Amino acid sequence: MADVMAHEAPIYQAAALPVDAPPKLIGRDTTLARVYTHLKDNKAVLIYGASGVGKSAVAVTLASAYTELPGGSLWLNIDQPSFAELIIRVGRAYNLTTVTRSDNPVAFVGAVASTLTREKPLIVLDGKISAETAEEFVTRCAVGLPVLILNEDDIDGSWLKFPLNALEPSQAGALFRATADLASAPPEEVNELVAALNYTPYALVVAAGHIRANKQTAADFRNALPPAGANVNPSLLALTVAFRGLNNALQGLLLVLGATQRGAASAELISLIGSAPTETINQAMSLLVARHLVVKTERYAMPYYQLHPITHAFANSWLRGSGRLDGLQTKAREATLAYARKYSAATPEAHDHLSAEMDTFLAAAKAAGDAGDRDFGRQLIAILLGAGDFFNARGYVYELVTLQKSSSASSVAFPHDTTSTGAYTPVVIDEDDEELIDDLPVPIRVIEDDEDLDDDFDEDDDFDEDDDFDDDLLDDAETDDDDSDDDIDEEPVLQRSLFGAPAAPLVTSAAALPLPFDDDEDLDDDDDEDFDDELEDLDDDEDDDLLLTDDDEEDAIPDEAVQIRAQIVQARHDNDRKKQAGSLIALGNLQRTRGLENEAMAAFSEALAVQENLNDDATLIGVLTNLAELAQKTENYQAAALYSARGANLADKLEDDALHTRLLILLGDARQQLGESKDAARAYQRALDVARTADDARSEAMLLFKLGYAYLDDSDPNQAIQSWEEALSLFRKQERRDYEGRVLGGLGAAYSELERWSEAINFHTSALHIAREVKDKEEELLQLSNLGYAAVQARQLGQAVLRYRQALYLAYANDDKQNIVGTTVDLARLLVESARHLAIAELLIDDALEVEPTSRDLKRLKERIEDEREAMGDDIPEQAAVAGSAKLYAENAYAMLEQ
């Protein structure tokens, strides 16, 4: 247990939070500031409001800041938990084995309270919770700690309360425009849509995701909205349109996830329910994530998907209305047992998989027990007990007792506990919302037996035929009615499709299911040679497709790619895994040369899955290297770290020094980008040792250069200086003048860290001369900015102004928006210290505001100038002369470098 980190563990990286932080939180500045003030004072705060109003968005913005602090963020998703459940989850978060191995965790409140007091995390309770449970937890476990409670209802207790309502019209419009990427959309169209969705954040985000994916306008979405009845949740209206806009397979996948008791599952469990490969599930899920219909996180480095409660309720209602909910939930329970059996082993990997789905096990057992099916729980317990010491090792003793109660006459885990057991209770849609979904114009039509279904959807909208995704789902969801064939023969059938449009006749076998074919295509079910559908794409309208659409294929990739795809299909059919892997690698290489990094990632990822069991390490390491490089290039640094670490270990085993060094450099680069400088330094040092053993002087010099920055970022400037001095000597021998200059700049930064300003200025000046010599404008701008900062610290203010002016000119010349604003702020802060230079500072700020009108720093400086003038009144001194623009003012200073 001590070596295992539970998925409930505190979070120290914003990207690992279970909710995606919005790029910019719109319309909540006041609430954010007030809540933060109280959290900073270590108080408990309740944010309450209707589902979909944006409570989690506020919370994740705050939690992101706390991830940078030593205590991190302890985020617990909850649904009416008992006090005992909260105690257990905190125990698992901090590896408190005395707590997690007890069937009476409440007896260890003191241990939990002292641990939380020592660790000092921000605690987030996100979901539904009773006032009694929340009060007990706050007053007994979290005294003097920042606690954020997110709840739909206003509950009384030892906390400050902040209601969250819908956005103001202008704020709603700004949120929609930013999410849909429709900055230039006609205001009247946007205003009409956000009003129709009642300014509700989740409804707006869903609408924006649909519009962006389908390249529509706000007016298109508004016109597609069904009529809204009284008290109808606007998010259901948005979901109706978004759901209809999905192809058959994506609709089915959303409904599969909706059929799970919690609306959440790992990719592998979803693949078992849907009878589709995990790779296919992940590809399809990426499309739903992009549309903001699904949230993706990770548990034990495995993809994990979650529906918003409103979306889960929507999917449940849709399935219930079509009579398929019970059947699909039965399939989900069967798949849950199959998943448990697969990982019923006494290994750490198996225990990771079981831990990832423990919430699912509990919810499924409770639902089955409530329905009178005690056998499901008994089977599940028997399977899990076969996984060695799983319950003790992973801290699920309390959950074992809960499962036992679910499989007995009473489904209440601890009858003496008056609060909820924490097992999941499905979201119930309000009566008005139920009526809305029943009344919605869902895809209903009369289908004649011989009707061709192609015209209802694009050919590119379905998964590969071999995946049997649509077939298995529909086959399991339909009722087993022996007379159904007679019904079809007698008359057309009116029904709702599990996948949405188009609806299809009621069928009783997978063989009878319609799939999209060309008009002239042979539909013989017995023709095993027909694999054309394998080449179809997931979604014709998706920019971020992992496979190209037929419409784009000819322009984007030549016929060679089509031939390779055909080889992949044939190899899959022949079960020739070696040929399949080779063809996937060839496709990935081709896509990579065409600049299609995301598509190449998908091809290499599939190749990795196929390659795993072929015992061909030489090929496997090539796949891992490609994946590491592509992940780095696409800024997926966590994936880059995983692939490069695994590849480096394999290269070491194969004694391939060159590849070993290359992969360790990739690992260090990924760790550095993730802000994990100590781990980056470790990787660079390992690579340095390999390079020196192999007498690879060029790699040695580069690694010393990178190692210096890792040490500097880890607050060890002396070690950085030592590394850079070694690197400088090597770069000079190798006559690599550009890197010689960069090392000199690094030394300047290190001496700045040590506050040895004179030496820092000398190094930065040398680096500046070399940057100009090799005509590296970016490096030149960097060194000018560094010289400005060092001059300020050395109180050489005239030199500081000169250097910032010169840096500003390069920023304008390069049209570098970020550096224009940043350098202007640095320069203006100096100038406003002199009353004679207020006019120049104002000129700089006004021109920079034209580049970035929303900059708070610029606006604050503008206000300061106005305050200074007002304070001086008639005593303001004569202003220093300035003519022209900020760029011209900067250019005049830059000209001095040419003299």
Side-chain angles (χ1 to χ4, degrees):
M1 179 72 179
D3 297 327
V4 176
M5 181 177 290
H7 62 264
E8 295 104 331
I11 298 167
Y12 300 100
Q13 294 180 351
L17 290 165
V19 180
D20 293 331
K24 178 176 173 26
L25 189 63
I26 296 174
R28 305 299 191 194
D29 289 350
T30 301
T31 299
L32 198 65
R34 293 175 65 196
V35 171
Y36 178 66
T37 298
H38 295 298
L39 292 177
K40 193 168 60 173
D41 291 338
N42 295 322
K43 296 178 180 177
V45 175
L46 167 70
I47 299 178
Y48 65 94
S51 184
V53 80
K55 300 184 294 295
S56 293
V58 174
V60 76
T61 303
L62 292 162
S64 296
Y66 274 87
T67 59
E68 299 176 4
L69 299 178
S73 293
L74 181 60
W75 190 298
L76 301 178
N77 286 310
I78 55 174
D79 195 334
Q80 296 297 359
S82 66
F83 180 54
E85 181 187 337
L86 293 178
I87 292 289
I88 276 289
R89 294 184 65 183
V90 175
R92 273 197 299 273
Y94 293 102
N95 291 331
L96 305 177
T97 55
T98 55
V99 178
T100 59
R101 293 178 179 176
S102 170
D103 59 1
N104 183 24
V106 177
F108 296 93
V109 169
V112 167
S114 62
T115 299
L116 290 174
T117 300
R118 182 184 68 247
E119 298 294 334
K120 296 181 174 58
L122 166 68
I123 303 169
V124 181
L125 303 177
D126 183 10
K128 296 181 179 178
I129 190 168
S130 69
E132 295 77 15
T133 300
E135 176 73 8
E136 191 168 10
F137 181 78
V138 168
T139 57
R140 297 184 65 185
C141 298
V143 176
L145 293 173
V147 180
L148 193 53
I149 305 168
L150 311 180
N151 200 56
E152 289 188 27
D153 300 322
D154 179 9
I155 55 176
D156 294 325
S158 302
W159 42 77
L160 298 153
K161 299 193 288 187
F162 292 89
L164 209 60
N165 300 310
L167 296 169
E168 294 297 321
S170 62
Q171 298 165 348
L175 172 63
F176 170 77
R177 286 178 184 276
T179 311
D181 197 17
L182 290 177
S184 59
E188 59 277 8
E189 288 187 10
V190 173
N191 293 341
E192 187 177 355
L193 176 58
V194 298
L197 296 177
N198 201 28
Y199 315 110
T200 304
Y202 185 65
L204 295 172
V205 167
V206 168
H210 172 87
I211 288 168
R212 185 169 184 172
N214 293 285
K215 302 180 179 65
Q216 293 184 346
T217 66
D220 293 333
F221 196 91
R222 173 66 184 92
N223 294 334
L225 286 173
N231 300 319
V232 170
N233 189 326
S235 296
L236 291 174
L237 299 174
L239 283 167
T240 301
V241 179
F243 183 76
R244 288 179 185 162
L246 301 175
N247 63 44
N248 287 11
L250 292 181
Q251 285 186 347
L253 188 56
L254 192 70
L255 294 175
V256 164
L257 191 54
T260 62
Q261 292 297 326
R262 300 174 52 256
S266 64
E268 188 169 1
L269 179 56
I270 297 169
S271 77
L272 289 174
I273 302 172
S275 302
T278 304
E279 296 86 350
T280 303
I281 296 297
N282 284 321
Q283 289 177 17
M285 277 296 184
S286 70
L287 305 181
L288 295 175
V289 170
R291 288 167 165 83
H292 305 292
L293 295 173
V294 172
V295 174
K296 178 185 178 181
T297 55
E298 283 192 351
R299 288 190 176 183
Y300 308 98
M302 297 176 286
Y304 191 84
Y305 300 100
Q306 174 86 48
L307 293 178
H308 190 284
I310 295 176
T311 310
H312 187 213
F314 173 88
N316 262 246
S317 183
W318 194 286
L319 287 168
R320 190 182 300 110
S322 62
R324 293 176 173 85
L325 181 61
D326 291 342
L328 198 51
Q329 285 186 336
T330 298
K331 176 69 182 291
R333 286 196 293 272
E334 292 170 352
T336 299
L337 291 176
Y339 178 96
R341 287 191 193 97
K342 180 176 180 180
Y343 294 108
S344 179
T347 66
E349 181 185 4
H351 288 184
D352 281 348
H353 282 82
L354 295 177
S355 298
E357 293 294 357
M358 180 53 73
D359 296 334
T360 301
F361 297 154
L362 291 168
K366 183 179 187 303
D370 290 346
D373 178 8
R374 314 293 178 198
D375 189 53
F376 174 84
R378 296 189 189 103
Q379 289 186 65
L380 185 59
I381 291 170
I383 293 168
L384 295 176
L385 287 173
D389 194 32
F390 168 68
F391 288 105
N392 263 331
R394 292 304 176 96
Y396 288 113
V397 172
Y398 174 85
E399 284 73 12
L400 173 59
V401 177
T402 303
L403 285 171
Q404 290 169 336
K405 295 296 182 181
S406 295
S407 60
S408 66
S410 169
S411 61
V412 180
F414 290 87
H416 62 274
D417 190 343
T418 58
T419 56
S420 167
T421 65
Y424 181 79
T425 303
V427 177
V428 178
I429 301 179
D430 293 339
E431 182 178 357
D432 290 330
D433 293 344
E434 282 279 15
E435 292 173 359
L436 163 68
I437 293 180
D438 288 339
D439 293 339
L440 288 177
V442 293
I444 298 178
R445 52 179 290 203
V446 176
I447 306 282
E448 299 294 340
D449 291 352
D450 59 351
E451 185 173 354
D452 189 353
L453 300 178
D454 308 23
D455 298 335
D456 293 282
F457 46 90
D458 295 334
E459 294 179 2
D460 297 314
D461 281 348
D462 289 279
F463 287 111
D464 295 342
E465 183 179 352
D466 280 7
D467 292 340
D468 291 335
F469 187 78
D470 296 28
D471 295 21
D472 284 279
L473 279 174
L474 278 174
D475 197 27
D476 285 295
E478 297 290 359
T479 55
D480 293 329
D481 186 352
D482 294 335
D483 299 327
S484 58
D485 287 337
D486 297 333
D487 294 338
I488 295 175
D489 292 338
E490 291 174 6
E491 60 182 6
V493 178
L494 186 68
Q495 70 165 59
R496 305 183 188 195
S497 166
L498 171 62
F499 299 106
L506 185 66
V507 295
T508 56
S509 71
L513 289 170
L515 286 172
F517 296 97
D518 294 331
D519 292 341
D520 57 352
E521 188 174 349
D522 183 4
L523 301 181
D524 184 0
D525 291 328
D526 296 326
D527 185 3
D528 289 337
E529 299 303 315
D530 185 5
F531 306 116
D532 291 344
D533 287 333
E534 287 274 4
L535 305 180
E536 292 186 353
D537 297 330
L538 290 172
D539 190 342
D540 190 37
D541 297 322
E542 179 61 37
D543 282 342
D544 296 327
D545 242 349
L546 297 174
L547 299 176
L548 296 176
T549 63
D550 288 345
D551 293 338
D552 296 334
E553 185 86 51
E554 185 175 351
D555 294 334
I557 296 183
D559 290 342
E560 184 181 353
V562 178
Q563 295 170 5
I564 295 174
R565 291 179 191 275
Q567 293 169 7
I568 294 169
V569 171
Q570 187 64 52
R572 187 182 298 151
H573 176 257
D574 295 340
N575 199 27
D576 187 340
R577 296 178 69 82
K578 185 173 182 180
K579 183 178 178 182
Q580 185 182 349
S583 298
L584 285 163
I585 292 169
L587 179 61
N589 284 325
L590 180 60
Q591 289 169 328
R592 189 172 181 184
T593 61
R594 304 290 178 182
L596 303 171
E597 285 90 2
N598 289 325
E599 291 84 351
M601 281 276 292
F604 282 118
S605 295
E606 189 174 352
L608 179 63
V610 176
Q611 191 72 36
E612 293 284 8
N613 300 317
L614 294 183
N615 296 319
D616 182 359
D617 288 345
T619 304
L620 180 61
I621 197 171
V623 175
L624 288 167
T625 303
N626 272 290
L627 283 168
E629 291 174 344
L630 286 165
Q632 183 84 4
K633 190 170 184 180
T634 55
E635 299 183 0
N636 189 351
Y637 300 118
Q638 194 65 56
L642 292 172
Y643 290 131
S644 54
R646 184 178 174 193
N649 291 334
L650 189 55
D652 187 23
K653 172 185 171 184
L654 296 174
E655 298 182 349
D656 187 332
D657 290 339
L659 203 49
H660 193 192
T661 302
R662 180 178 170 190
L663 285 160
L664 285 170
I665 291 174
L666 283 169
L667 175 59
D669 290 347
R671 293 298 184 199
Q672 188 75 339
Q673 291 291 344
L674 290 167
E676 301 167 358
S677 299
K678 195 178 292 294
D679 290 334
R682 226 176 264 124
Y684 290 142
Q685 186 61 60
R686 286 175 59 198
L688 183 60
D689 294 340
V690 177
R692 283 172 170 165
T693 301
D695 198 21
D696 182 355
R698 287 184 68 85
S699 294
E700 181 183 354
M702 183 60 69
L703 282 159
L704 286 165
F705 172 66
K706 289 175 176 286
L707 191 57
Y709 276 107
Y711 284 138
L712 188 66
D713 289 348
D714 195 36
S715 302
D716 193 345
N718 289 311
Q719 277 278 58
I721 289 170
Q722 183 178 330
S723 291
W724 278 326
E725 286 177 344
E726 291 184 61
L728 187 61
S729 176
L730 288 172
F731 282 134
R732 282 174 175 165
K733 287 180 183 177
Q734 297 164 13
E735 297 183 352
R736 297 165 74 178
R737 189 72 167 153
D738 53 345
Y739 275 101
E740 182 183 341
R742 292 174 189 176
V743 170
L744 288 168
L747 286 166
Y751 280 103
S752 290
E753 190 79 10
L754 295 170
E755 299 185 4
R756 293 162 63 174
W757 304 113
S758 177
E759 291 159 288
I761 288 171
N762 289 336
F763 279 117
H764 285 310
T765 302
S766 298
L768 173 63
H769 290 321
I770 293 177
R772 290 177 56 76
E773 175 190 326
V774 300
K775 302 185 186 312
D776 186 340
K777 293 297 183 184
E778 288 187 9
E779 187 70 16
E780 183 182 352
L781 191 157
L782 174 63
Q783 297 310 323
L784 285 168
S785 297
N786 287 337
L787 279 167
Y789 174 76
V792 170
Q793 300 304 318
R795 304 309 296 167
Q796 301 173 11
L797 301 186
Q799 274 294 306
V801 170
L802 176 64
R803 294 309 191 186
Y804 279 137
R805 287 174 65 185
Q806 292 166 342
L808 183 59
Y809 170 71
L810 286 178
Y812 272 111
N814 297 337
D815 195 23
D816 185 339
K817 179 177 176 180
Q818 182 176 351
N819 272 313
I820 289 172
V821 174
T823 308
T824 297
V825 169
D826 290 335
L827 180 53
R829 281 176 177 159
L830 278 176
L831 294 173
V832 296
E833 296 297 329
S834 167
R836 290 187 61 251
H837 292 86
L838 292 179
I840 298 177
E842 186 172 40
L843 170 69
L844 295 171
I845 292 166
D846 287 342
D847 282 10
L849 281 170
E850 291 183 9
V851 175
E852 179 51 84
T854 61
S855 170
R856 293 183 180 181
D857 288 333
L858 290 172
K859 289 179 178 178
R860 279 195 287 265
L861 282 167
K862 178 86 169 174
E863 292 170 0
R864 180 178 171 184
I865 291 172
E866 293 170 356
D867 292 342
E868 293 275 356
R869 283 180 172 153
E870 184 178 349
M872 285 185 286
D874 296 336
D875 296 330
I876 188 168
E878 182 180 350
Q879 295 295 287
V882 61
S885 64
K887 182 178 179 180
L888 181 60
Y889 173 73
E891 186 175 5
N892 290 335
Y894 188 77
M896 297 180 188
L897 285 172
E898 308 292 344
Q899 298 173 358

